[in-house]
Amino acid sequence: MSAVVAETPTRPRRARVLAPAITGQELILIGVILLVWVSLALATPGFLSPYSIQNMLWRLAPVGVMAIGMTMIMVTAGIDISIAATLMVCSVAIAKLIAEEGWPFGLALVVSLVIGGVLGSLNGLLISYGRVPAIIITFGTANLYQFLGLRVFNSSTVNGLPPSRDILGPGPSGRFLEVPIAFIIMVVLVAIAWYYLRHFPGGRHLYAIGDDDRAAALAGVNVRRRVFLTYAITGVLVGLAAAMTIAGGTSNLDQNVGKGQELVTIAATVIGGTSVMGGRGSVLGAVLGGLLVQTVTTGVTLLGWPSQLSNLFVGIFIVVAVGADLIRERRRKAKL
C-alpha cells in the first residue's frame, strides 16, 4: 500500500505595494506650474527667453538640493530652521578659501561639504540622542551658526571671488548643452533620493518613523540613527547648495548670503506635499514646489510688481497646502 503524501500548499508571495510614482498633488502642481507659465508667457514675452529659463533653473538648484534634505527631515516629523545659517557659514568658508587663500574651487567645495555635514550632525546628535524637539534645537543652532558665520566674515565682505566658481554659475561656463550644471546636479540628486526613499528599506524606515516612531522602534528600526543621518545628510546638501549660491552674481560676498533660504526651502517642501506631521512626502514634489516658488518670484520681477507680492502668493500656496494636508489627515484618521 503506497503512502499518500499530502502536499503543503505554498502561499504566493505578496508583492510590496508602492505608492504611485507621481502623486495626485504632484500632478496638480505640474498643472498649476504650466498654467502660471502660460499666463506669464502671454503677459511678458521675456519670461520664456533662454536667459530667463536658464536663470530660473539655476536659482532653483540650491533650493532643490536643500529641499531633498528637508523632505527627509519632515518625513520623520522633524524640521530644520538652521539651514540658512549653515548656508552662510559654508558660503563664507568657500569664499575665504578661494579668494583669500587661493584654494581651487573643487577643494573648497569639499571643505564646505564637510562643514555642512558637521553642523548638520550636531543638529542630529542633539535631536536624536538628546531627545529635544527639532524646532527648539534648530532654532538655537540657527543663532549659533549665524554668530559663527558673522565671526568668519569679520564684519566685512569677501571680495575678489575668482572665475573658477563660475562652473556652478548661470553663465556660459556653468552650462552643459545650455542647461545649468547646478540644475543637472540637482536633478541627479533628486533622482537618487526619490529612488532611495521609494525602494530601499532605509528610505521606507523614514516614513515609518514619521508615522509612529515608537511602532517603528518596536519593528526593529534604529530610530535614533536614522534621524541623526537625515540631519547629517541635510547638512552636506546645504554645503553643496552654498557652492551653487556663491557661484553667481558679483565677485563679492556679503553677510546677507542665505538670508530667508530656510523659509523658501520649507515652503517648497510643504507646497510639494510633504506633511508637516510626518509620514508622507516626496522629493519630486518638493522640487516642483520650489519651481512654483521660483516661477512666482521671477514672474513678479518681470511684471514689475512689488516684490512683496511674491511673498503673498507663496504664503497663500503654503496655507492651501497645509490645509489640504490637515484635511487628508483627518479623513485618514476617520477611516481607522
Side-chain angles (χ1 to χ4, degrees):
M1 186 174 179
S2 60
V4 178
V5 180
E7 294 185 0
T8 304
T10 58
R11 294 183 179 180
R13 293 185 62 186
R14 287 186 61 185
R16 180 162 54 88
V17 179
L18 292 175
I22 299 180
T23 65
Q25 181 153 343
E26 290 166 356
L27 291 174
I28 293 174
L29 267 176
I30 292 173
V32 171
I33 291 170
L34 290 176
L35 179 62
V36 175
W37 275 41
V38 170
S39 301
L40 289 174
L42 294 175
T44 169
F47 176 74
L48 290 181
S49 67
Y51 172 79
S52 178
I53 296 298
Q54 290 164 348
N55 190 60
M56 185 165 55
L57 294 181
W58 173 75
R59 292 185 181 278
L60 171 65
V63 175
V65 167
M66 292 188 290
I68 296 172
M70 188 63 71
T71 300
M72 294 191 295
I73 287 175
M74 294 185 70
V75 159
T76 65
I79 197 168
D80 187 353
I81 58 177
S82 69
I83 59 172
T86 303
L87 184 71
M88 182 177 72
V89 174
C90 294
S91 297
V92 68
I94 295 176
K96 288 273 187 178
L97 290 174
I98 63 176
E100 299 179 3
E101 302 299 328
W103 283 36
F105 180 72
L107 186 57
L109 169 60
V110 173
V111 173
S112 178
L113 298 178
V114 172
I115 293 175
V118 169
L119 299 183
S121 297
L122 178 58
N123 285 336
L125 188 66
L126 295 173
I127 292 167
S128 59
Y129 292 94
R131 296 182 177 238
V132 182
I135 192 168
I136 300 298
I137 287 296
T138 57
F139 179 76
T141 55
N143 288 275
L144 291 176
Y145 299 164
Q146 186 177 37
F147 173 78
L148 176 61
L150 292 174
R151 292 292 295 175
V152 178
F153 266 110
N154 195 25
S155 301
S156 63
T157 61
V158 182
N159 302 314
L161 296 178
S164 59
R165 67 196 172 104
D166 293 344
I167 190 172
L168 293 180
S173 59
R175 300 178 202 153
F176 177 73
L177 299 178
E178 295 303 315
V179 179
I181 295 174
F183 177 76
I184 295 174
I185 293 173
M186 183 210 72
V187 170
V188 172
L189 292 177
V190 167
I192 293 172
W194 179 87
Y195 191 84
Y196 175 78
L197 290 173
R198 183 175 169 82
H199 293 282
F200 279 72
R204 299 195 299 274
H205 288 169
L206 299 183
Y207 290 98
I209 293 170
D211 192 51
D212 189 334
D213 58 343
R214 294 184 179 179
L218 291 174
V221 177
N222 191 331
V223 174
R224 293 183 179 181
R225 180 172 176 269
R226 293 293 180 193
V227 171
F228 169 79
L229 286 175
T230 58
Y231 286 91
I233 291 171
T234 300
V236 174
L237 292 172
V238 173
L240 175 59
M244 297 175 176
T245 300
I246 72 165
T250 66
S251 60
N252 304 324
L253 187 73
D254 60 30
Q255 300 173 15
N256 288 325
V257 59
K259 185 177 181 181
Q261 287 300 297
E262 76 281 17
L263 301 179
V264 175
T265 305
I266 293 172
T269 306
V270 172
I271 293 172
T274 300
S275 174
V276 294
M277 293 173 285
R280 186 174 64 253
S282 164
V283 292
L284 175 59
V287 171
L288 290 173
L291 179 58
L292 179 58
V293 171
Q294 191 57 52
T295 298
V296 170
T297 303
T298 302
V300 167
T301 301
L302 290 177
L303 291 171
W305 293 353
S307 60
Q308 294 86 349
L309 285 178
S310 62
N311 296 328
L312 172 64
F313 293 140
V314 171
I316 293 174
F317 292 146
I318 294 174
V319 171
V320 171
V322 172
D325 178 50
L326 293 175
I327 292 173
R328 282 195 301 265
E329 188 66 18
R330 288 177 181 177
R331 288 180 178 175
R332 187 183 70 86
K333 290 182 178 180
K335 293 178 181 180
L336 297 179

